[in-house]
Amino acid sequence: MDNDVLNENTLRNLQGFAEKTAIKAGKILIEYQNKISIKVQKDVQDFATNADYASEKYILEQIRSHFPDHSILSEESGSETQSSDYRWVIDPLDGTSNYASTLMMQRYYAVQISLDYNKNVMIGVVYQPESGMMISAIKGKGFHNLNHPILHVDDITDLSKCRVYLRDAKKQMGYNNITKYLQLERHLITYSYRAQGIHEMPIGFMAIGTGSAQGYILPATKGYDIKWWDVAPHILFVEEAGGIVTDFTGAKINSDNLGKGIIASNGKIHGKLISLGKNFYSK
């Protein structure tokens, strides 16, 4: 595959593979709903179930079968490094706690598959088994779901008219970072139309890509970091919708530089958000 020209036809084929694999993995998650068991307790409210592993097992088998020379980064099994410039990034069950919940209002969960080429996200696929919604993108070709062929950010330039989401805080951030977080939150409340914390990363990114929000800020600290499999497809979605995604300094995001958080926006207020967040990583 690495000898192939990375043209649109190649990318479409890879996208089709990712979409079909995500749909099948989603069916596996549905099948496991009545027999969920926790296999690994990672944190107080962070765990992996038998469904996580079943979904991951299927996805990995498909990748190894079709693309044996490709590298893989997956949430539960970690990294498999090959000589290829391609790397599949897998979250076999994003939203495990929601999946395991009996409350329908907490039922957002998804299969996430993306493909990096030379550390650039080229393909992103997110499939939500409960709704059957497929969100998919190829770099340079826009992003879409089944109901909306092409989705775009909006063009609001006035921060005082913007809705901005903020990644929710956890005590693992540490006292000093919590203090900085509250200062950032206060700035956002003061200068935006509405600022609110949000737990579900996909919802924050999708709000930017569909124009229902204009900014999403995700601080990252030791003890409260950001994982590439959680954000890779969504970064592509925002960029393909015409938005901008950087770290808090304005640097381009890839899997190697997640230590200084993420700021996603419609592109019109990006500089203002960076300015508001500039003190978060100051000593």
Side-chain angles (χ1 to χ4, degrees):
M1 177 67 73
D2 276 12
N3 293 324
D4 293 346
V5 176
L6 196 63
N7 56 30
E8 182 173 353
N9 185 58
T10 299
L11 289 171
R12 293 291 181 194
N13 289 336
L14 290 166
Q15 181 188 38
F17 166 81
E19 290 177 348
K20 291 177 182 177
T21 303
I23 290 172
K24 176 58 179 177
K27 291 180 179 178
I28 292 172
L29 296 180
I30 294 291
E31 292 169 0
Y32 269 76
Q33 282 184 332
N34 294 322
K35 50 183 178 181
I36 299 171
S37 63
I38 295 176
K39 293 297 184 181
V40 177
Q41 189 77 45
K42 303 176 183 179
D43 201 348
V44 176
Q45 294 190 26
D46 186 11
F47 51 85
T49 69
N50 54 344
D52 291 76
Y53 287 101
S55 172
E56 183 182 65
K57 180 175 182 292
Y58 172 77
I59 296 169
L60 295 182
E61 286 174 348
Q62 292 301 302
I63 294 172
R64 291 166 182 157
S65 173
H66 289 81
F67 309 106
D69 60 330
H70 286 194
S71 298
I72 300 172
L73 175 65
S74 190
E75 178 174 10
E76 308 307 337
S77 62
S79 181
E80 297 180 15
T81 302
Q82 307 290 349
S83 59
S84 173
D85 292 325
Y86 290 91
R87 181 178 68 170
W88 293 94
V89 181
I90 311 301
D91 191 342
L93 174 49
D94 182 58
T96 301
S97 60
N98 290 348
Y99 172 80
S101 173
T102 58
L103 297 176
M104 291 305 295
M105 69 182 67
Q106 295 182 355
R107 294 299 282 181
Y108 174 87
Y109 62 90
V111 178
Q112 299 190 167
I113 301 176
S114 58
L115 179 63
D116 293 349
Y117 182 76
N118 286 330
K119 297 186 178 181
N120 293 305
V121 187
M122 302 302 296
I123 293 169
V125 168
V126 174
Y127 178 65
Q128 301 171 24
E130 290 277 340
S131 65
M133 179 179 288
M134 172 73 73
I135 307 164
S136 186
I138 293 176
K139 188 174 180 64
K141 301 298 178 181
F143 103 106
H144 67 276
N145 64 32
L146 296 178
N147 298 321
H148 300 86
I150 298 293
L151 298 166
H152 295 284
V153 299
D154 66 23
D155 58 359
I156 299 176
T157 60
D158 186 346
L159 181 59
S160 68
K161 298 179 180 179
C162 292
R163 180 190 297 270
V164 180
Y165 288 123
L166 179 63
R167 185 191 189 193
D168 60 355
K170 291 177 68 175
K171 66 180 180 181
Q172 287 86 344
M173 296 172 69
Y175 181 83
N176 289 337
N177 287 323
I178 291 173
T179 300
K180 292 179 180 180
Y181 177 95
L182 293 174
Q183 181 183 47
L184 173 59
E185 183 179 46
R186 185 166 60 249
H187 287 329
L188 291 173
I189 293 171
T190 300
Y191 295 109
S192 69
Y193 171 72
R194 177 172 294 171
Q196 63 188 86
I198 187 169
H199 174 66
E200 304 295 351
M201 288 187 188
I203 294 174
F205 284 110
M206 281 297 298
I208 306 300
T210 57
S212 59
Q214 292 70 46
Y216 184 29
I217 300 179
L218 298 88
T221 68
K222 183 178 180 180
Y224 194 35
D225 55 359
I226 295 172
K227 303 299 186 184
W228 189 235
W229 51 75
D230 284 326
V231 300
H234 301 288
I235 289 172
L236 180 62
F237 294 161
V238 171
E239 291 177 341
E240 288 305 301
I244 295 176
V245 185
T246 70
D247 68 10
F248 274 51
T249 71
K252 180 177 173 59
I253 289 289
N254 61 47
S255 59
D256 294 334
N257 73 326
L258 296 172
K260 290 193 175 180
I262 295 176
I263 295 179
S265 79
N266 65 355
K268 309 298 183 181
I269 63 167
H270 204 81
K272 297 171 184 175
L273 296 182
I274 288 176
S275 179
L276 291 178
K278 65 182 179 181
N279 292 327
F280 191 85
Y281 291 99
S282 63
K283 294 183 178 179

